[in-house]
Amino acid sequence: MSSDDRNNSSMDRFEDFLLGDDLTTDEVMRSLRRMGVKVDDMVERLHGVVQKCYSEQLKLEVQREQKQVTVVPSFLAGLASMAKEEMLVIFEKLARGDLGTQYQSAALARCRNGAPNELTDDELRSWLEDVGSIYGESGK
Amino acid sequence: MSLEALDELRQQDWGSIFPRLIRAAIVIAARYGWSPDRVLPKGGTIDDLVSATVREMFEQPQRRRSDVPLLTQLIGIVRQKLWNLSQSKDAEVCRPGDLDPMEHRPQHEERCDDGDEFQRAITLLLEVPKVKENPDMNLMVTAIGTGFFDPPEVARETGLPIERVYQLRRELNDIYPRIAAQLNEKGGKS
C-alpha cells in the first residue's frame, strides 16, 4: 500500500473526524494536558521555531535580493547611442525579470500604460534612464 | 519565498494552529503505537516532528497552497512524515531505557492493512467501558464503523442532536489515543 493509496482511507477519515474543529484553542490545550502532554512547553518551543525560521528565511531573502542587485549588468551602458531595437530588447529582459524583480515590476507597470514599442526613441531612453537611476544604475 | 509571503506566513495564528497540530500528530501517531512520551523511529519525538513540519513550511514555500487552510496542509505533512517513519526499517517503538532496541517489531504495513486496522480500532473502542456503557457513544462509534465520518451524517444516522455528536466527539478524542496504541498489540496479522 503506497502513501497515495492511503489518501482518504477509513483510518484517515476517522482521524479527520476526531480532529474536527469545534473546540476552542483553550479546550484543545486542556484536552492535551489531560492526556499528560506538556503542551504549554511544546507551544512555546514552536513559537521559537517560527521566529527562528522567519529570521533565517528573511536573512536569506535579503541576501538573495542584494545579490540580485549587485549582479545586475549595467544595462544602461551605451544607452545614449542605442537604437530603439536594442532598447526594446533590454525592456523585454526587464519585463521578464531577467535583470531582477525590482525592474520587472517597473517594466510591467510601464506596459500597463501602453506598449513600449509605441514610445519614441527618446521616451524609451528616458524611461530606461529613470528606471536605472531609481534602482541605482548610473547608466551611460 | 517573497518577503510578502514570508511575512504572511509569520502572521498566521500560530497560537491557534500549534495545539491543533500537536493534537493531530498525537492522534495520527497513536495509529502506529507511538505515544507522545515515546521516541519515534529514527530517534525524534512528536515534538521534533511537529517542529520539522513547521520548518518545512517556511523552507519549502512552494508546498503552500492558498486554497487549503494552513492547518490542513500542516496536518497533511505530519501524516506523511509519520507514514514515512512507519515504513522505515527502524520502525520499532522505543521508549528510552525500557525497551531493548534490538527487539524486533514488525513494520506497520506487515501487521495490517487499513480496512482491518480501522475495523479493529472500532472493535476496541466498542469494548471500552466509556463507550460500551454509554448508549449514545455506542451508537456514534457504531455509525462511524459503518462509514459515517461527518458529524451531520452521524447525527442523521444515529438520531442524536448534532451538539451531542460534537460533545461525544470530544470525549472520544480523550479515549482514542490510548485505544489506538493497542492497535499494534492486539489482533494484528503477524
Side-chain angles (χ1 to χ4, degrees):
Chain A
M1 183 168 55
S2 73
S3 172
D4 285 346
D5 293 337
R6 293 178 56 262
N7 286 342
N8 299 315
S9 70
S10 297
M11 278 304 281
D12 288 351
R13 293 179 71 195
F14 178 44
E15 287 163 359
D16 288 342
F17 168 83
L18 289 172
L19 296 170
D21 206 13
D22 60 307
L23 300 181
T24 64
T25 302
D26 281 347
E27 285 171 329
V28 176
M29 296 280 279
R30 277 201 295 274
S31 147
L32 288 167
R33 285 188 204 112
R34 276 199 303 276
M35 289 162 63
V37 178
K38 291 178 180 167
V39 63
D40 300 87
D41 293 347
M42 287 173 85
V43 166
E44 196 181 326
R45 272 196 295 278
L46 286 166
H47 278 296
V49 169
V50 165
Q51 193 50 48
K52 188 164 182 271
C53 287
Y54 175 75
S55 300
E56 284 171 0
Q57 293 302 312
L58 183 65
K59 203 172 164 185
L60 284 174
E61 187 58 33
V62 168
Q63 281 172 354
R64 258 196 300 271
E65 286 200 351
Q66 282 174 345
K67 196 176 171 190
Q68 226 171 11
V69 169
T70 56
V71 298
V72 168
S74 184
F75 65 85
L76 296 183
L79 185 65
S81 57
M82 262 185 211
K84 186 173 183 180
E85 288 69 27
E86 291 173 272
M87 290 191 281
L88 284 172
V89 168
I90 290 173
F91 187 93
E92 278 172 17
K93 284 183 182 174
L94 298 178
R96 281 199 306 265
D98 292 356
L99 303 178
T101 51
Q102 70 277 34
Y103 296 115
Q104 186 180 28
S105 307
L108 293 176
R110 173 63 256 178
C111 287
R112 280 194 290 275
N113 293 324
N117 56 6
E118 288 172 7
L119 298 173
T120 65
D121 289 19
D122 285 341
E123 285 171 333
L124 187 54
R125 188 170 290 111
S126 168
W127 183 86
L128 287 169
E129 279 177 340
D130 287 347
V131 167
S133 65
I134 287 168
Y135 293 105
E137 278 281 357
S138 56
K140 298 178 193 171
Chain B
M1 177 185 276
S2 71
L3 290 176
E4 289 81 6
L6 185 60
D7 223 45
E8 194 257 340
L9 194 54
R10 187 183 65 153
Q11 285 173 17
Q12 293 291 318
D13 186 2
W14 293 104
S16 157
I17 290 173
F18 287 147
R20 290 172 170 80
L21 189 59
I22 292 166
R23 184 172 65 131
I26 290 169
V27 166
I28 298 166
R31 180 206 290 207
Y32 303 110
W34 302 329
S35 58
D37 59 336
R38 293 200 172 197
V39 175
L40 300 173
K42 298 191 173 177
T45 60
I46 285 181
D47 197 352
D48 297 329
L49 185 127
V50 173
S51 296
T53 300
V54 172
R55 199 170 297 121
E56 202 168 299
M57 189 52 80
F58 272 90
E59 291 170 357
Q60 297 179 34
Q62 67 276 14
R63 294 186 71 155
R64 181 84 203 277
R65 285 179 51 185
S66 57
D67 58 332
V68 179
L70 180 59
L71 176 63
T72 305
Q73 283 182 262
L74 291 167
I75 291 175
I77 298 174
V78 162
R79 183 171 268 143
Q80 185 65 54
K81 282 181 180 298
L82 287 167
W83 163 258
N84 291 345
L85 283 179
S86 80
Q87 298 303 297
S88 68
K89 282 184 181 172
D90 48 1
E92 54 187 41
V93 183
C94 298
R95 183 162 25 200
D98 68 359
L99 276 181
D100 177 357
M102 299 305 288
E103 178 192 355
H104 173 72
R105 298 275 307 229
Q107 282 192 22
H108 182 71
E109 194 175 39
E110 292 172 36
R111 290 193 291 266
C112 52
D113 65 32
D114 179 79
D116 288 347
E117 184 182 34
F118 173 64
Q119 285 308 325
R120 250 195 356 274
I122 294 298
T123 303
L124 284 169
L125 279 170
L126 289 170
E127 289 171 4
V128 177
K130 280 183 180 173
V131 177
K132 199 175 180 176
E133 293 160 12
N134 179 338
D136 289 355
M137 181 70 95
N138 202 301
L139 266 177
M140 185 178 82
V141 172
T142 304
I144 294 166
T146 52
F148 295 94
F149 296 100
D150 291 328
E153 279 182 356
V154 173
R156 263 197 308 276
E157 176 67 11
T158 59
L160 295 169
I162 187 73
E163 286 309 319
R164 177 72 175 138
V165 171
Y166 287 137
Q167 183 193 349
L168 290 168
R169 180 167 69 175
R170 282 173 219 159
E171 291 173 29
L172 195 58
N173 255 301
D174 289 346
I175 299 168
Y176 175 72
R178 285 190 294 272
I179 297 308
Q182 296 174 39
L183 284 173
N184 296 287
E185 296 163 6
K186 291 172 94 176
K189 279 183 176 175
S190 60

